[in-house]
Structure formats: structure tokens, C-alpha cells
Amino acid sequence: MPTNPSVPNPYLPTPMRVLRAYFESTDRTLKTLELSFENLADKIAFFKKFNPGQFCQLSVFGKGESPLGVASAAWEGDFVRFTVQRMGSVTKALHELKPGDTLGMRGPLGNGFPLADWKGKNLVIIGGGCAFSTLYALTKHVQHPQNRPDFGQLTVIYGARSSGLCMYKHDIQSWYQRDDMEIHQAIDVPEENWDHHVGYVPDVVRQIAPSPDNAVAIVCGPPIMTKFTLPALVSLGFPPEAIFTSLEKRMKCGLGKCGRCNIGSKYICKDGPVFSLAELNALPADI
Amino acid sequence: MKYLLPKNELYSRLARWSAEYSILAPQKVGEYSEFLPFTAQSELCLQEPHNTRYPAKALFFPQSETILKYNRISGQLESAAPESQKRIVFGIRPCDAKAVTLLDTVFAEGDNQDPFWLARRAETFLIGLGCHEPCATCFCTSTESGPFHTEGLDALLTDLGEVFFVETLSERVEALFSELSPAEAAQQEIALAVQAAAEKSLPKVFELDGIKEKLDRVFDKEIWAELSQSCLGCGICTFLCPTCFCFDLVDEAQRGTRVRNWDTCMYRVYSLEASAHNPRPTRRERTRQRLMHKYSYWWEHAGKLGCTGCGRCVRYCPVGLDIRAMIKKASAYESEAQHAN
Ligand code: SF4
Ligand code: SF4
């Protein structure tokens, strides 16, 4: 018999304020928001729980909530970054926010990447489109001098449809100068002045052929990219236990209660969004 | 303890309780009975062999409920206050009380417990009425429940004609009945005989043993298309189901509130994604989700079956789809298919 009614309201967002807002892509469909906390206690609670790979529900009051992967690492500062693709009414409202505007946030939600299990491993990070945002957070996390020794080689493969859709351009450009990682960028079709890869991510992965030895591969992208990248990794010798992906589904509560984001008995929001391919293979085809 | 409650004293007893508690009991509204507040004018409907149409879950998890208020200009946010009230739900059937305990596993256990559910639950007593004449749509004996199942109840009444035989099941309701005369051994025996006869009148329609595994194995088979052919996708089976808990969160911009509304996996938009992809695009996948959730996934989430056999989905489906037949067919599909080969 439940007896303790004095639990906090888990649907109540924490108040946030827009610190910076800027377009990420030249077609203005991707906008990055950096949010600061209105209350110190909320900030402490957030960073105590936060792990790259987690997501938050952003609220625009009067419009509703939208789940978005966190695109920043904790060490970057007292803010949380999101890159929002303009899709429906909530994301449209998020795009309209200006620095100083307030909004709500619930999170961090979900499991995030199993970093403790990846200790000492080489990381092969493969992303496409705006789903790369959580992988950006992961890369930023790994790059920090305090975290870097926890992992072996770091290889990032990032594809976008065109150069105008490449996110975090300035920062990623600087990764080419780093001697502790490899960065490969790709766009779908050739463009003038593009001196990186051209082609679809699965093909680029095959071409680069990262070694599966002592490595884990993390794949986040549009469903079609993920669908073809997973078998490419398998054929390179990555076992299903060493391949990870992050799933997206329609979500409301983000807490495993509202019922809609399940695949079989697993809730993406609570048991995921990060799953290994081995875990996914054990689930029914409900995607 | 065991007591006798003469039927002709029922209303005066309820009236006395209502000084301290608000009482909810089944009453007739049009063709159907429904849990409504008991007042001096109330006429209870306890004689129907079946359940209220509207499920008792609504007493703890209303169809629509404000969960927070906001001010769009100032950004001010405020949680809605969970409602707590001393209540007695009188005449709830065992299947519905069991359903409330199943929903406890969603709202009152683990992380992120639901304060609205907890507050309503904490001070509400469930006084159940066993079913001495289970009806044709009931199948609680097949679903880990039964016409006199006591899970979730604070007291259980057995109809013995002129009197109710009362068995208290929790300390906290003892005082409500202490003025009644205790039941004697002979009356208890009659009650047990009534309970046993009711139980016997409902032979099992299927065995649960192995059902989950059988359903899991036919997940991607054609049987679901066949089973869902006549479904209209109206969602009645889920809205009226006492164990369905899916909800939507919606902003009511005019009022400045965020509201939680019951939702249903039987609707296309339920799982439709912003990219226009839908993991459950047809009735086939949606019917499969409804049945698999109750008869497979619930075991993994709570170690229990997610259906109490209340029969509402059978009784109120406009095209007469019967979950008993659907489960039987789906779980037999594999062996039939093998036969055919
Ligand atoms: S699935 Fe049908 S019989 Fe089972 S609890 Fe729900 S409404 Fe009742
Ligand atoms: S009540 Fe019947 S017709 Fe309506 S959604 Fe359920 S199974 Fe389909």
C-alpha cells in the first residue's frame, strides 16, 4: 500500500534561461541553444546525474515538450547545450527563443553511454545528421584531459548531407590539429572546396575500416544510416556487444510511465536510449 | 475479523461513515453503473453481476488531470497540488482492486513515483464486493484473480441474501465495522460455499503457463493481421481497461496548465513520430501491442499478468472482439502452423 505522498512532481520542469542561441546550419533548420539554470540546486542536481548520451525534455509553455539529446559535456561550463531540428510546433517554438527567454527542462533522462564499461577501450564514434549532437557531447567528454587517459584511441566519423548542414564546424575543424584523435567528415555529394570524404556514412566506415580490436563503436544517426552502418561494423569484425546505438521514438513522460516508447518490454526513455546491438537483437522488431 | 452487515442497515452505515469519509459507490447513470459520491439521495447499484462500465482506476488516475501550472510571460512554474482526501470506495469488485495494485507498480514503485496517484491512494479504503454470480464476460479465474480475490482490498463483502458477510483484510478499516455483530462459524461456512460456487461457475478459459513464451514467439507472424481485421481502432478496450495506464501530456494554452490525459495505443497518432515514421502503422501492430503488453511485457515489468479478466474490453468492444479468443488463437498459432506444415 503506497503511503508516502510527499514525493516531488516528476513532470515538473526546472526553469532555464537561454544563454546563447545560434543557427547551426546554413539552411536554418538546425539551431543550437545553450541554457543556464535559474536555480543553483537544479544545476547541482543536473550535473550530479548527467552522463553523455542522456536527453532532456524541453518545454515551451503553451506548446508542450520535445525530447532532445544533450550536446555538451559537463566540463564545458554551467550550461546545457541542445541542437534543435525544426520539425513540429514545439521545435518551431524552440527556434524562436532568444537569449534571456525562459523555458522548462526535465532531465537528464535515460541511461546515457556506459562509459564505465568502455574504460581502456578504443572508441569509434560514428554519427550522421543532427543525431550527432549526443556524440559531440561524448567526444567533448572524452577529450577532457582528465577523462582522456580512461580511453584508448579515439576515432570520430561524422557525415552530413551537405557542408552547410555540418554542425559545430569551428570546433570540429580544430580536431584535425589534435594528436589524440582521428576525425573524418563526410558529405553525401561532392562540393567545391570540400577536402574531406564524400559518400554515405556506411561506405565511409567501410573505407576507413576501423579496427575492432579492443574497440567499441557508437552509432547515432538517421534510421537509414544506422540500419546500414550496423552490418558494416559487423563485417569489420565488431561483435554485437561492442556496437552501441541510441534510439529515438515518440516520447511524452520520459520516465517509463506514459507507455508509448516501448520496443517489446523495454522503454526507450528509461531502459535506453542507448542499447548495444546485442540487446537490440534480443528485442522484437517493433521499431 | 468477520462481521455481518444486514442489507437493511447498509445505507445508515454508509451515512454514518460519510461524516468522516467521502464515499464512492456504484450508482446507475442511464444504462450503466458508475462510481459516484454517496449522498442521502443515492441509490446504489450493487446487484449487477458485472462491473461498472467506467473503470475504477479513474478514482486514482483521472481521465484528465492538471499536473502543473505555468505563466508564459514570467516563466513561473507551479506543481498542481496532489489531492488527498479520506475516501471509501465501496463495492469495488476484486478484479478492479487487483488492477489498482497492478497500477501501483507503475505509479507507486521505483524511481519517479507519481505524487498524484500516491496522494489519492494513501487515504482511500477499498471495500470490495465479491461476485457471487460472475457473468459471461468475466474470466478472472484465468488471470491470477477471482470473484472473491482479496488483493488490494481492505475488506471483502460476500452477498448472503439478507446480509453481507464482511471480512476485514487490513487493520485500518477495523474500526468501521467494529459495531457490527461478528459472524459465526455457520455463516462463514455459507460464505465460503457461495465463494466456492462462484469460483466453480467460471472454469478457466486458458492456462497462463507458457503463454508469454508462446506469444513472444509469434510476434512477427501473420496471426495479428487476422486477429485485428475487424478492429475499428476506437480505443474503447483500452480506455475502459482498469490496467491500461498510457497517458499524454498536453498544454492547455488558454488556461496556462499542463494536463495529463488518458491515451491509447490503439490510435495511429499515439506512436507517430515527428519524422512521419510510425513503428505501429496499422491495426495489426497496434492490436499486437495491446495484447502483448498485457500478456507478455507485464511479466517482465512487474512479474505479473497485466489483465485482471474484468471483461470490459469484451463487453464494450463495438465489433465484439474478445480478448480471450484472441489470446487463445495467438498462443495456439505456433503449434497450428507446425501442424499445417
Ligand atoms: S484487458 Fe480486458 S479483461 Fe483484461 S483487465 Fe483490461 S479490460 Fe479487463
Ligand atoms: S474496442 Fe474493439 S474495435 Fe475498439 S479498438 Fe478495442 S478491439 Fe478495436
Side-chain angles (χ1 to χ4, degrees):
Chain A
M1 175 69 48
T3 47
N4 176 18
S6 61
V7 304
N9 180 347
Y11 314 110
L12 188 70
T14 53
M16 303 293 283
R17 198 173 286 275
V18 179
L19 204 57
R20 286 178 284 272
Y22 47 89
F23 284 112
E24 200 62 74
S25 61
T26 50
D27 70 352
R28 297 172 181 256
T29 56
L30 301 175
K31 194 166 195 177
T32 291
L33 300 176
E34 293 179 359
L35 310 179
S36 62
F37 292 84
E38 290 285 272
N39 303 318
L40 180 67
D42 292 336
K43 186 182 85 184
I44 294 170
F46 178 89
F47 284 109
K48 209 171 141 197
K49 265 184 80 182
F50 174 61
N51 185 34
Q54 289 184 302
F55 65 99
C56 292
Q57 283 282 10
L58 292 191
S59 271
V60 180
F61 297 105
K63 298 289 181 196
E65 291 184 304
S66 184
L68 289 157
V70 176
S72 50
W75 63 261
E76 289 187 72
D78 286 346
F79 64 88
V80 193
R81 180 190 298 122
F82 301 92
T83 299
V84 185
Q85 182 175 24
R86 199 180 152 118
M87 297 279 273
S89 62
V90 182
T91 50
K92 185 165 171 276
L94 286 168
H95 265 229
E96 282 160 13
L97 292 176
K98 304 267 175 301
D101 286 350
T102 56
L103 72 162
M105 180 180 94
R106 287 193 296 128
L109 302 167
N111 57 356
F113 298 115
L115 295 178
D117 299 347
W118 295 350
K119 250 194 162 153
K121 303 259 185 205
N122 299 326
L123 303 184
V124 181
I125 293 175
I126 304 166
C130 62
F132 180 70
S133 58
T134 53
L135 296 179
Y136 182 65
L138 173 63
T139 308
K140 297 299 281 178
H141 173 87
V142 174
Q143 283 175 342
H144 190 271
Q146 234 162 42
N147 303 328
R148 192 63 192 85
D150 288 347
F151 305 94
Q153 289 162 21
L154 174 62
T155 308
V156 176
I157 301 169
Y158 168 39
R161 279 208 316 278
S162 66
S163 64
L165 289 171
C166 288
M167 308 189 292
Y168 320 122
K169 276 195 195 77
H170 258 43
D171 191 26
I172 291 182
Q173 198 53 42
S174 75
W175 296 357
Y176 286 94
Q177 268 76 60
R178 294 183 72 113
D179 55 10
D180 66 341
M181 67 175 292
E182 251 182 60
I183 165 78
H184 300 274
Q185 287 189 92
I187 55 174
D188 287 358
V189 287
E191 278 177 38
E192 235 174 281
N193 299 327
W194 177 261
D195 43 17
H196 308 299
H197 298 270
V198 174
Y200 296 118
V201 167
D203 299 326
V204 176
V205 169
R206 255 189 230 100
Q207 195 187 324
I208 295 167
S211 161
D213 292 341
N214 189 37
V216 293
I218 307 103
V219 184
C220 297
I224 187 83
M225 182 208 103
T226 308
K227 187 176 164 192
F228 289 105
T229 304
L230 297 179
L233 288 166
V234 171
S235 68
L236 285 170
F238 283 83
E241 294 76 23
I243 302 176
F244 294 81
T245 185
S246 180
L247 298 178
E248 281 179 31
K249 270 209 173 194
R250 190 176 172 127
M251 283 177 196
K252 288 283 174 174
C253 76
L255 308 167
K257 299 201 191 302
C258 81
R260 81 199 57 228
C261 70
N262 70 302
I263 300 183
S265 64
K266 298 278 184 263
Y267 288 114
I268 305 282
C269 68
K270 195 177 80 171
D271 305 309
V274 178
F275 293 94
S276 73
L277 181 57
E279 288 169 317
L280 283 187
N281 287 342
L283 290 177
D286 200 12
I287 303 190
Chain B
M1 290 283 291
K2 315 219 163 42
Y3 304 95
L4 291 181
L5 170 58
K7 281 190 179 167
N8 59 14
E9 287 176 24
L10 176 63
Y11 281 31
S12 60
R13 178 70 37 193
L14 291 173
R16 205 154 341 142
W17 291 342
S18 65
E20 202 184 334
Y21 300 90
S22 72
I23 295 175
L24 294 147
Q27 294 164 52
K28 207 97 184 172
V29 185
E31 279 177 64
Y32 306 101
S33 66
E34 197 177 314
F35 280 96
L36 290 174
F38 172 82
T39 66
Q41 285 80 42
S42 295
E43 197 173 321
L44 301 196
C45 176
L46 300 173
Q47 67 287 353
E48 273 180 341
H50 60 82
N51 238 314
T52 55
R53 179 178 58 157
Y54 203 58
K57 70 177 175 190
L59 303 175
F60 303 95
F61 171 46
Q63 186 161 1
S64 181
E65 159 169 47
T66 299
I67 53 167
L68 62 92
K69 299 188 180 103
Y70 59 82
N71 182 315
R72 230 188 317 173
I73 313 298
S74 69
Q76 205 68 36
L77 273 173
E78 193 193 325
S79 174
E83 263 173 43
S84 187
Q85 206 185 4
K86 291 173 96 171
R87 300 188 300 178
I88 293 174
V89 178
F90 184 86
I92 185 171
R93 303 296 180 135
C95 54
D96 278 358
K98 183 189 163 79
V100 172
T101 69
L102 287 174
L103 292 186
D104 279 342
T105 67
V106 177
F107 293 119
E109 286 176 17
D111 297 338
N112 299 306
Q113 298 187 4
D114 189 285
F116 306 100
W117 175 272
L118 289 173
R120 292 200 182 87
R121 222 22 206 113
E123 291 200 276
T124 304
F125 300 163
L126 298 183
I127 298 184
L129 174 62
C131 308
H132 62 289
E133 301 179 305
C135 66
T137 47
C138 298
F139 60 107
C140 52
T141 51
S142 309
T143 56
E144 303 182 318
S145 184
F148 288 87
H149 194 76
T150 56
E151 218 177 326
L153 288 174
D154 291 288
L156 174 64
L157 273 55
T158 305
D159 189 338
L160 300 185
E162 297 295 305
V163 294
F164 288 115
F165 173 83
V166 181
E167 185 183 353
T168 54
L169 300 157
S170 79
E171 203 56 49
R172 62 182 193 170
V173 296
E174 213 61 61
L176 294 177
F177 297 100
S178 57
E179 292 166 16
L180 296 177
S181 44
E184 310 199 340
Q187 285 135 345
Q188 176 161 3
E189 238 163 76
I190 301 173
L192 287 176
V194 168
Q195 296 177 1
E199 193 95 17
K200 213 171 140 211
S201 75
L202 267 189
K204 283 194 181 181
V205 289
F206 43 64
E207 288 296 335
L208 288 180
D209 233 19
I211 256 187
K212 173 184 164 37
E213 292 71 21
K214 284 182 195 155
L215 293 176
D216 287 350
R217 284 196 294 266
V218 297
F219 183 89
D220 51 6
K221 298 290 186 292
E222 270 319 291
I223 180 67
W224 305 107
E226 189 186 311
L227 292 179
S228 59
Q229 224 156 39
S230 57
C231 171
L232 308 171
C234 67
I236 287 174
C237 51
T238 52
F239 289 123
L240 296 185
C241 173
T243 69
C244 276
F245 57 86
C246 290
F247 60 82
D248 195 3
L249 298 173
V250 181
D251 283 11
E252 303 235 333
Q254 305 290 331
R255 297 195 184 94
T257 57
R258 182 163 291 165
V259 177
R260 164 163 78 180
N261 294 327
W262 290 355
D263 203 349
T264 171
C265 62
M266 298 306 276
Y267 289 171
R268 193 181 60 91
V269 291
Y270 175 78
S271 49
L272 182 66
E273 290 163 23
S275 65
H277 172 68
N278 195 339
R280 300 189 194 118
T282 72
R283 285 168 309 198
R284 169 182 179 272
E285 294 84 17
R286 299 196 281 273
T287 296
R288 176 176 70 193
Q289 165 64 19
R290 175 167 82 91
L291 300 187
M292 291 289 286
H293 189 190
K294 304 227 176 280
Y295 278 79
S296 168
Y297 311 152
W298 261 97
W299 298 105
E300 282 172 64
H301 295 150
K304 293 171 184 162
L305 179 72
C307 165
T308 67
C310 76
R312 284 189 181 84
C313 60
V314 181
R315 176 174 289 268
Y316 300 108
C317 172
V319 295
L321 280 168
D322 186 331
I323 191 169
R324 295 170 294 190
M326 294 162 101
I327 290 292
K328 271 205 273 192
K329 264 203 165 158
S331 58
Y333 184 73
E334 191 183 34
S335 42
E336 266 167 34
Q338 271 166 7
H339 247 35
N341 285 338

